[in-house]
Amino acid sequence: MQSACPLNCWDSCGFQVTVENDKVVKVEGDPTHPITQGKICGRGRMLETRTNSQERLLYPLKKVNGKFEQISWLQALDEIANKLKDIKEKYGSTAVLHSHDYANNGILKNLDKRFFNCYGGVTEIFGSLCWGAGIEAQKWDFGNAYAHEPNDIFNSKNIVIWGRNVARTNMHFYEKLLEAKKRGIKLYVIDPLFNATAKIADEYISIKPGMDGILAAGIIKEMLRLELEDKEFIEHFTHGFADLLQLLTSTSLEKISEMAEVPIEVISSLARIYAKKPTSTFMGLGLQRYQNGGNTIRLLDALVAVSGNIGIAGGGANYANLQVGQSFANEEVSLNSRKKLHRQFPIMKQAEEIVAAKDPEIKMIMVTCGNPLTQVPDSKVVEKAFTSVETLVVIEQFMTDTARLADYVLPTTTVFEEEDFYYSSMYHHYINYGPKLVSPPGETKSDLWIWTQLASRLGFGDDFHNTREQWLKMFLKPLEKRGLTLEKLQEQHTLELPVLYIPWQDRKFRTPSGKFEFTSNLGQLMGDSGLLKLSVPEESKWNNPDLANKFPYSLLTIHPLRSNHSQNYHLLPTKSVKIEVAINIAESLQVQEGDDVRVWNDRGEVKGYAAILQKAYPNTINIDEGIWHQFGGPVNNLTSSRPSDNGLGSTLYDCLVNLEKIN
Ligand SMILES: Nc1nc2c(c(=O)[nH]1)N[C@H]1C(S)=C(S)[C@@H](COP(=O)(O)OP(=O)(O)OC[C@H]3O[C@@H](n4cnc5c(=O)[nH]c(N)nc54)[C@H](O)[C@@H]3O)O[C@H]1N2
Ligand SMILES: Nc1nc2c(c(=O)[nH]1)N[C@H]1C(S)=C(S)[C@@H](COP(=O)(O)OP(=O)(O)OC[C@H]3O[C@@H](n4cnc5c(=O)[nH]c(N)nc54)[C@H](O)[C@@H]3O)O[C@H]1N2
Ligand code: SF4
Ligand SMILES: [Mo]
């Protein structure tokens, strides 16, 4: 039976699921899906294991004297609803915090917003650990973050991948890269790690973490020296070019090469590649999880603009594709007007904010689709915050590190146990239908059922009085006039959304000036100078030489191959932490493959075994993210909760550490 992958991922795959006796027995790719074409990754296949796992949470749990006890749904819902009522009366609704991420791409998962709005407005989190700095950057430059449709890369002469681990995180794009190579299109990969995508590149450029913006500035400078820029585009469709020129004249190419640690010949060759149009640029999310992350993406956008690769087939500054999520009636469905009180904490700093909150203090946290104890930076503070509140409610499928701390754990369904449709605003623009295929095990209930039950106890049951079908139709409302109806989706299982295949082709940018902005008006409205800068990571020898002396290595914590974040570690055989170290570190500390090592900084430590990276950028370490406490994690013991330059992103990879061999 056809279904869809719900995971937070670039690819949003179509599934073909085998069901026997009300049980999912196999998950494979749907060969009829226009983009994903029958191939899926191990994380998709493992949704069968997740669904059937003996470790699934099956009953509501309440912590009594430090131990979980099974309780009835009636008791759980009554008690939680009463607490919500009491808190609202005594302290106001913003004494409740809703902590979440995006573990499930189902559209109905967005109904949590409606619930909290109808309740009166809770303390919400804003920004994103994932892609926040870059999204904001593209809003400043273009007015929005739009990508070209996937097959447009076959119109490129060159493809440049900056910090996207395509083979691991975006497998259908990888398939397209293989095809592009067959067609003679040249592929360049810029990354501190020699990853699986770098292996198929025509040229791999190794870069020091956090220095991509400086490199992009160097490429622009060289392009101008060689007079290879697109003068016509710059003159007619951009704003603030004089400011960019001034920035570039303030430094020399030699200085840029020295800072970025990229040879001048490589910078010069990249300038020629960018000028040989069309060149498409694909940015990953790795390179913007730094203090200078927003500015980095802005300098890459500027390079794409100066080279005239915007709004043309085979070009583009491809980062995210927000067109997809913007297709639905999100605003109307969420009933924002019901919100009476309003408070927001930045997602990366939620823990500090919880601890510091006054007027009102945070009395209760409700966690949905997220596992903050492993995923939010600076775990020590996160643990302190989540244990400090009177009531923690976690809606979960498994007993995660976050669920362990809860006062109430509510067991929820997986993708195959409820009807929804799924989409991702990261890559392609097709939505996929996922019918209910099997009965939920034990007493598991969908998130939507939980909201509906709580709503009726809190006096806004009427606002939740809809069938699933009615909810799905509400979200699809704006698309109906184009014939994109629920019936059609149910019948065809995947539908193409009406998006621009080549964004900005009309050169009408959604910025205040209507132009591509090198100097951002929106940035200025937000209190920034709006100017492009030559900024570097916070934890670096330039910004913090003492720290760099004490902690000489850059720590990356990239996404794991076999797990979506923390979701599969408990179901996989390997349980200890692999610490990948650049060969120069291993040599200088006499660390051999498999040796036990400790990584630490002022925030915390992680222990594990060493694996040596032969080709990584010198002084770089990587520990894949998502590891549970019981297996030696989380890596966020080491990371910082500082926000990115524009305030909306995390700085998870802007992290200096030290390493030693242990016995
Ligand atoms: N297998 C798997 N796939 C996933 C996920 C998963 O957990 N597992 N998660 C999904 C989600 S939510 C997301 S956000 C995406 C993320 O997808 P990606 O952006 O591909 O992955 P990340 O792990 O965030 O970024 C890692 C890449 O950025 C590089 N990098 C780090 N710092 C720098 C830098 O300063 N400059 C440059 N040029 N490169 C740098 C890393 O070496 C690595 O190759 O993946 C999605 N797909
Ligand atoms: N150090 C470091 N930290 C990172 C990152 C990094 O690269 N390095 N990446 C960041 C990024 S890009 C992201 S997107 C975040 C992801 O952060 P999270 O989304 O918090 O990570 P997940 O492990 O996917 O956790 C989601 C939890 O939701 C549960 N869940 C799944 N489906 C449902 C459902 O339908 N309903 C409910 N209620 N729960 C469900 C899962 O069981 C799981 O425990 O992590 C960020 N944290
Ligand atoms: S995790 Fe991503 S690549 Fe894997 S099956 Fe799901 S959508 Fe496809
Ligand atoms: Mo993400």
Side-chain angles (χ1 to χ4, degrees), residues 55-57 59 61 63 68 371 394 396-406 408-409 570 628 630:
E55 294 177 38
R56 273 288 289 278
L57 296 168
Y59 307 97
L61 300 172
K63 201 176 269 159
F68 282 119
N371 186 6
V394 177
E396 251 302 345
Q397 297 161 344
F398 289 91
M399 190 51 79
T400 60
D401 288 340
T402 308
R404 258 173 232 292
L405 300 183
Y408 294 90
V409 181
H570 57 309
W628 297 33
Q630 67 195 101

Side-chain angles (χ1 to χ4, degrees), residues 5 7 9 11-13 15 40-41 43-44 171-172 564:
C5 186
L7 294 173
C9 174
D11 293 60
S12 204
C13 291
F15 279 170
I40 59 166
C41 77
R43 293 166 290 146
M171 66 175 287
H172 297 91
N564 225 49

Side-chain angles (χ1 to χ4, degrees), residues 8-10 43 130 162-166 168-169 190-193 195 207-212 284-287 289-290 426 556 558-561 563-565 625 653:
N8 182 1
C9 174
W10 298 96
R43 293 166 290 146
C130 176
W162 298 69
R164 193 185 301 185
N165 200 357
V166 183
R168 181 186 288 198
T169 65
I190 304 175
D191 203 296
L193 301 179
N195 56 27
I207 187 155
K208 190 174 173 66
M211 300 309 285
D212 303 82
L285 312 185
L287 75 167
R289 295 194 190 113
Y290 293 85
M426 296 174 77
L556 305 180
I558 69 168
H559 294 203
L561 176 64
S563 182
N564 225 49
H565 312 295
E625 51 112 355
Y653 300 180

Side-chain angles (χ1 to χ4, degrees), residues 215-234:
L215 171 59
I219 303 171
I220 300 172
K221 192 171 168 79
E222 181 65 356
M223 186 174 278
L224 296 172
R225 187 185 70 84
L226 296 168
E227 296 187 33
L228 292 172
E229 76 275 22
D230 186 333
K231 294 190 180 70
E232 147 88 33
F233 181 82
I234 295 168

Side-chain angles (χ1 to χ4, degrees), residues 260-507:
E261 301 183 19
V262 176
I264 289 184
E265 308 81 78
V266 174
I267 299 177
S268 189
S269 134
L270 283 166
R272 288 168 214 272
I273 289 161
Y274 265 93
K276 211 160 107 208
K277 292 192 285 195
T279 291
S280 53
T281 299
F282 289 85
M283 301 170 234
L285 312 185
L287 75 167
Q288 48 93 58
R289 295 194 190 113
Y290 293 85
Q291 166 85 31
N292 57 338
N295 189 63
T296 296
I297 299 294
R298 294 201 65 214
L299 280 167
L300 264 67
D301 289 346
L303 167 59
V304 179
V306 169
S307 61
N309 279 297
I310 287 172
I312 63 167
N318 300 280
Y319 175 72
N321 204 1
L322 295 190
Q323 301 181 87
V324 179
Q326 289 164 354
S327 304
F328 313 112
N330 300 313
E331 286 294 306
E332 285 107 290
V333 180
S334 62
L335 287 181
N336 275 324
S337 58
R338 296 293 177 82
K339 200 185 291 186
K340 299 280 178 300
L341 295 174
H342 181 75
R343 180 164 68 178
Q344 287 191 317
F345 294 164
I347 185 167
M348 51 281 173
K349 297 192 82 70
Q350 60 184 289
E352 284 100 310
E353 298 275 9
I354 291 166
V355 175
K358 292 259 166 356
D359 302 323
E361 290 174 12
I362 298 295
K363 296 289 173 188
M364 180 170 181
I365 303 177
M366 293 191 78
V367 180
T368 63
C369 290
N371 186 6
L373 263 289
T374 61
Q375 297 309 117
V376 172
D378 206 352
S379 309
K380 210 187 284 166
V381 187
V382 179
E383 179 163 359
K384 184 173 167 205
F386 280 72
T387 45
S388 73
V389 294
E390 280 167 23
T391 310
L392 175 64
V393 179
V394 177
I395 307 181
E396 251 302 345
Q397 297 161 344
F398 289 91
M399 190 51 79
T400 60
D401 288 340
T402 308
R404 258 173 232 292
L405 300 183
D407 298 287
Y408 294 90
V409 181
L410 306 180
T412 193
T413 44
T414 69
V415 52
F416 307 121
E417 296 154 2
E418 59 175 316
E419 182 192 20
D420 208 337
F421 72 78
Y422 302 85
Y423 67 98
S424 164
S425 298
M426 296 174 77
Y427 178 54
H428 69 73
H429 56 284
Y430 290 79
I431 56 172
N432 305 325
Y433 177 63
K436 179 174 172 180
L437 297 179
V438 295
S439 317
E443 295 178 7
T444 56
K445 297 287 184 189
S446 67
D447 295 77
L448 176 54
W449 183 88
I450 298 169
W451 301 131
T452 308
Q453 290 293 318
L454 289 173
S456 75
R457 283 166 173 77
L458 289 163
F460 49 90
D462 284 352
D463 292 316
F464 275 79
H465 223 88
N466 281 324
T467 61
R468 260 180 193 264
E469 195 169 294
Q470 286 168 324
W471 287 122
L472 292 170
K473 284 189 169 157
M474 272 170 92
F475 278 106
L476 286 171
K477 189 95 193 159
L479 294 161
E480 256 172 22
K481 54 181 182 295
R482 296 173 179 259
L484 301 174
T485 59
L486 180 62
E487 290 75 17
K488 199 166 168 189
L489 178 62
Q490 286 169 330
E491 188 190 302
Q492 301 190 355
H493 276 264
T494 181
L495 286 181
E496 182 178 11
L497 294 175
V499 299
L500 298 169
Y501 276 19
I502 300 167
W504 319 119
Q505 209 166 12
D506 60 3
R507 310 201 143 155

Side-chain angles (χ1 to χ4, degrees), residues 551 553 555 577 579 581 585 589 591 595-610 621 623 638 657-663:
F551 302 114
Y553 310 126
L555 177 73
V577 181
I579 298 178
V581 283
I585 305 175
L589 301 176
V591 170
D595 280 353
D596 288 333
V597 291
R598 179 175 92 99
V599 176
W600 80 97
N601 62 20
D602 289 333
R603 290 177 286 267
E605 66 166 19
V606 170
K607 289 176 184 164
Y609 67 95
I621 297 176
I623 307 175
L638 297 161
V657 294
N658 209 334
L659 180 139
E660 68 180 2
K661 207 157 106 170
I662 49 173
N663 294 319

Side-chain angles (χ1 to χ4, degrees), residues 151-169:
N151 290 315
D152 183 56
I153 59 160
F154 301 127
N155 295 316
S156 306
K157 283 204 183 86
N158 308 292
I159 302 170
V160 188
I161 314 259
W162 298 69
R164 193 185 301 185
N165 200 357
V166 183
R168 181 186 288 198
T169 65

Side-chain angles (χ1 to χ4, degrees), residues 1-22:
M1 282 185 265
Q2 280 170 293
S3 175
C5 186
L7 294 173
N8 182 1
C9 174
W10 298 96
D11 293 60
S12 204
C13 291
F15 279 170
Q16 184 68 45
V17 178
T18 314
V19 176
E20 285 171 10
N21 302 322
D22 201 24

